Amino acid sequence: MHPLGKIVVAALALVVFCGTAYGYVNLRALDDVTRDSVIDGDGGTKPGEQPADGSLDILLVGRDSRDDQQGKPLPPELLRELRVGANGDDLTDTLIVLRVPNGTREVKAFSIPRDSYVSMPGGKGKINAAFGRAKAAEARRQREAGETDKAKIQQAALTAGRRATRQAVEDLTGVKIDHFAEVNLLSFYEISKAVGGVDVCLKKATQDRNSGADFPAGPQRIQGADALAFVRQRDNLPGTDFDRVRRQQVFLAGLARQVLSAGTLADPGKVSDLIEAVKRSVVLDDSWNLLDFVGQMRGVSGGGIQFATIPVVNVDYRYDPDSPRATAVQVDPAAVKAFAASLIGAPAPTAPASPVTVDVSNASPRDGLASRVAGFLKDKGFTPGKKETVSSRRTSLVRFGPDLAERGAEVAKLLGGLATQQSAAVPAGHVEVVLGTVYSGPGVADGGGAPAGGDEPITSAGVVCVN
């Protein structure tokens, strides 16, 4: 059974944004939303504060849960309507960070692939397993300590899972998470219907039995079970999970436009339905004052959200020699941290006394990739060299002479942890970058790190067609 639709988790933030100009009083109804102690006691951002790292950061998490907020199983007829089976699991299949830089009204959203292979308590693993590991460990600890109340054990385990997920994201990205929101598939279903559907566009018609997807090519409006299928589908897509990430992002962009449109905000019934959907299935950290947050967000527009994905090293990483068919997404934490910091305008490294020229060769089918990567490296203090298209190759490589080993390694890290090679054939003062067909670091999409095939940047200003 494939995981739930990823984009559901963003709906909460969009409901909050809708109140920036219109629904402020109505948001008081969200006082009844479920809360949990996810953020450290001394770590919550206070109303009006400017976070020390330069950005208010919100972690949006989606869980493949077949239960409601009271822990009761969803009825079979509803599961049939959602086109999902009765068995869920304890994986967090959506991880999206919203960065709201201090003093700006541009929201930067970036996705973390669910299969990103990271370090965490209990040993390395896929980041979406952090929740389940901590949840199971805490439940076991509670029982061993003599606790017999099932509700208390369940709540303690859920809190531990949420905290572990937050910590795994912080460790990978270097971002201090200020607030947390969690949504399940039921709320996604209800929220997408509450706003009257979301406009999306597909490059080609597609069908998928597992998710229930059956869509024509071109622009279309989707809601309810169709919307869930749209963001759940990964089979029959050329980029599988990474195409699904692109779908999540374009759906979130469309949801932002729809929530912030006059047709939604001026309709008391739609606003009420939206708030009720959030109350039924969303979990927030207990330090988040939504009304104060609404005041801080005053002025965010429908086109003021930009989307990207963290850079990755290898989308087909064989991490277990004993299970050669097991795959994950390899990431370089240093490159991910640099990427996340760049979204709030972190200063580029100081240029070296002796300038280093970087020559970039594009061995992939992506038009303009060499120029975009050269521009990215220029912003980091390197001098652009020649840019050319060369014969296709699968993997990427950074080459340099023995006198530039340190700077060559720096370039490789900035581009997502590429392979390196020392070569006396590289001209003095130069580093050579070859970008292969599986390259998925900065520059793949203009201005972001989206790793899927479609290179058009995704923002909430308009509809982008995807696979």
Side-chain angles (χ1 to χ4, degrees):
M1 182 65 220
H2 290 311
L4 70 98
K6 305 294 202 306
I7 212 59
V8 51
V9 297
L12 168 72
L14 298 172
V15 171
V16 174
F17 293 156
C18 87
T20 58
Y22 301 91
Y24 192 91
V25 174
N26 289 336
L27 285 177
R28 292 190 181 278
L30 286 174
D31 288 344
D32 296 332
V33 73
T34 303
R35 300 280 187 161
D36 198 3
S37 179
V38 184
I39 306 298
D40 292 334
D42 60 349
T45 297
K46 304 300 187 295
E49 282 186 349
Q50 299 287 287
D53 68 356
S55 182
L56 183 71
D57 297 298
I58 302 164
L59 175 60
L60 306 174
V61 173
R63 281 207 303 127
D64 189 14
S65 172
R66 271 68 169 173
D67 297 337
D68 62 19
Q69 288 304 86
Q70 288 72 46
K72 299 177 182 178
L74 299 177
E77 60 272 17
L78 180 56
L79 293 177
R80 286 193 294 270
E81 171 67 14
L82 296 176
R83 303 171 194 162
V84 298
N87 296 321
D89 52 36
D90 283 328
L91 300 177
T92 51
D93 289 313
T94 305
L95 294 170
I96 299 175
V97 177
L98 291 179
R99 305 215 76 182
V100 186
N102 291 345
T104 76
R105 290 296 177 263
E106 276 193 343
V107 178
K108 310 292 183 70
F110 67 86
S111 301
I112 300 172
R114 68 190 183 103
D115 288 339
S116 298
Y117 198 68
V118 301
S119 297
M120 53 187 172
K124 288 190 173 182
K126 298 178 182 180
I127 196 168
N128 68 341
F131 182 95
R133 281 190 188 182
K135 179 173 178 280
E138 180 60 22
R140 184 168 55 251
R141 191 190 73 78
Q142 291 280 329
R143 288 190 293 267
E144 290 173 351
E147 182 60 67
T148 58
D149 188 316
K150 291 183 179 180
K152 289 183 179 179
I153 293 173
Q154 173 76 349
Q155 184 54 58
L158 287 171
T159 300
R162 289 162 183 151
R163 281 178 158 267
T165 299
R166 186 214 77 212
Q167 190 63 57
V169 170
E170 290 184 343
D171 291 345
L172 173 63
T173 64
V175 170
K176 178 67 179 73
I177 298 300
D178 300 301
H179 293 301
F180 173 96
E182 174 190 297
V183 185
N184 61 23
L185 58 84
L186 175 61
S187 59
F188 168 74
Y189 170 85
E190 292 181 335
I191 288 169
S192 64
K193 291 182 71 174
V195 299
V198 173
D199 293 323
V200 297
C201 179
L202 288 176
K203 295 178 180 178
K204 297 179 179 178
T206 182
Q207 289 182 320
D208 170 43
R209 188 172 184 177
N210 287 324
S211 65
D214 185 2
F215 300 109
Q220 52 206 286
R221 176 165 287 198
I222 55 177
Q223 62 178 292
D226 284 338
L228 186 60
F230 179 85
V231 293
R232 289 182 63 237
Q233 182 184 1
R234 67 175 176 178
D235 292 339
N236 300 325
L237 298 179
T240 60
D241 271 339
F242 286 99
D243 275 337
R244 181 162 58 176
V245 167
R246 291 276 290 180
R247 285 209 184 175
Q248 298 160 19
Q249 293 173 347
V250 298
F251 190 90
L252 176 53
L255 186 57
R257 285 190 305 274
Q258 189 67 13
V259 169
L260 292 166
S261 71
T264 298
L265 295 172
D267 186 331
K270 285 186 178 179
V271 172
S272 177
D273 289 346
L274 198 53
I275 290 174
E276 286 303 311
V278 170
K279 287 167 59 178
R280 279 193 293 268
S281 54
V282 171
V283 177
L284 301 181
D285 69 87
D286 55 12
S287 67
W288 197 350
N289 186 314
L290 292 181
L291 293 181
D292 283 312
F293 178 65
V294 165
Q296 289 176 285
M297 292 297 96
R298 199 175 302 278
V300 171
S301 68
I305 307 177
Q306 301 175 14
F307 301 84
T309 302
I310 63 169
V312 304
V313 177
N314 184 358
V315 300
D316 190 31
Y317 179 47
R318 309 288 167 147
Y319 62 92
D320 187 353
D322 296 329
S323 300
R325 298 184 65 182
T327 63
V329 174
Q330 185 181 13
V331 294
D332 177 3
V336 173
K337 288 178 174 65
F339 165 78
S342 72
L343 297 182
I344 56 171
T350 303
S354 299
V356 174
T357 299
V358 181
D359 302 315
V360 184
S361 298
N362 184 7
S364 83
R366 297 183 175 94
D367 293 337
L369 180 61
S371 294
R372 293 196 296 274
V373 170
F376 171 80
L377 292 173
K378 181 181 179 182
D379 291 340
K380 302 301 178 183
F382 294 91
T383 301
K386 67 179 181 180
K387 298 177 283 291
E388 60 181 354
T389 300
V390 297
S391 299
S392 177
R393 60 174 281 165
R394 184 176 185 276
T395 58
S396 302
L397 182 65
V398 177
R399 291 192 291 253
F400 43 80
D403 59 325
L404 288 180
E406 185 175 335
R407 301 310 307 282
E410 182 184 348
V411 170
K413 270 196 169 183
L414 286 170
L415 297 182
L418 304 186
T420 60
Q421 182 184 81
Q422 187 168 299
S423 172
V426 178
H430 285 241
V431 170
E432 295 180 349
V433 175
V434 181
L435 305 170
T437 57
V438 297
Y439 173 75
S440 54
V444 167
D446 188 9
D455 290 341
E456 187 174 355
I458 296 172
T459 75
S460 54
V463 179
V464 174
C465 289
V466 295
N467 288 323

